[in-house]
Amino acid sequence: MASQGAANNSGSGEAKALDPKVAEAIAAADAAGPQSGETVRVDSWIWSVRLVKTRSMGATACRGGHVRVNGDRVKPAHAVRVGDEVRLRHEGRERVVIVTRLIRKRVGAPVAVQCYIDNSPPPPPREAIAPAGIRDRGAGRPTKRDRREMERLRGLTGPGDGDGLGSDIGKDVGKPTP
């Protein structure tokens, strides 16, 4: 399988410059990978190919329903096979990858990229992401009104939604009850 990964990158000059180290890393990943017919846990695989930072984050994502294999929500111990489509919702974007190689141990980024085909939509441009409440320097602490406006901009509360604390104080003071 190491020759397959090298054949995919044969057109780029960068892959040729790193080829001896990458080939050595691929050989080490193949040696550490499962034997023929074995499978790998999905939480371990998404950690190994560097889609999440830690294996526990991968397991938490699976338990939270953020990982789908072939369209089905899966538990952390679900077996992944070559050819499976893995969808991961992480850090505000969705990653869609197709498994091309099974590995159990975390490997370097050049090797990890060769273990899957990335079909993810491109991330939104940085300009499209709204800044989260930038205040002028020296403006002091935000008032309650400023805080509510910032929460409204971030989408945490809807228009007119209060935090539930004291929102009805002073509305019907002094009015007789019918």
Side-chain angles (χ1 to χ4, degrees):
M1 285 209 186
S3 63
Q4 181 185 16
N8 290 343
N9 292 333
S10 61
S12 65
E14 183 180 345
K16 288 180 181 177
L18 298 174
D19 198 42
K21 290 183 179 181
V22 172
E24 182 180 321
I26 290 172
D30 283 341
Q35 303 302 320
S36 61
E38 290 186 36
T39 58
V40 177
R41 291 172 53 114
V42 68
D43 62 338
S44 177
W45 187 82
I46 62 176
W47 166 72
S48 299
V49 296
R50 298 175 171 263
L51 294 179
V52 293
K53 285 188 177 183
T54 64
R55 182 173 170 184
S56 63
M57 284 177 71
T60 304
C62 291
R63 276 189 241 107
H66 301 289
V67 178
R68 293 176 179 261
V69 175
N70 297 327
D72 299 326
R73 288 183 179 179
V74 294
K75 293 182 178 180
H78 183 82
V80 177
R81 294 176 180 83
V82 174
D84 284 349
E85 179 191 63
V86 177
R87 290 178 174 265
L88 170 69
R89 206 169 61 235
H90 182 63
E91 294 180 351
R93 68 179 284 216
E94 185 173 19
R95 300 289 305 266
V96 181
V97 297
I98 297 174
V99 179
T100 57
R101 177 181 295 146
L102 297 177
I103 57 173
R104 281 202 176 113
K105 296 191 176 188
R106 193 164 172 100
V107 293
V111 180
V113 171
Q114 295 178 356
C115 295
Y116 61 86
I117 299 170
D118 196 357
N119 293 334
S120 304
R126 290 187 180 251
E127 297 84 32
I129 301 171
I134 298 174
R135 294 182 50 83
D136 294 332
R137 185 157 178 85
R141 270 181 78 171
T143 63
K144 191 178 222 180
R145 182 178 186 181
D146 293 339
R147 178 184 56 83
R148 287 183 178 157
E149 287 177 4
M150 286 189 284
E151 287 177 353
R152 219 172 281 125
L153 283 173
R154 289 186 197 136
L156 299 177
T157 60
D161 282 348
D163 55 0
L165 300 174
S167 60
D168 58 346
I169 296 176
K171 288 187 177 176
D172 293 328
V173 175
K175 291 187 180 178
T177 56

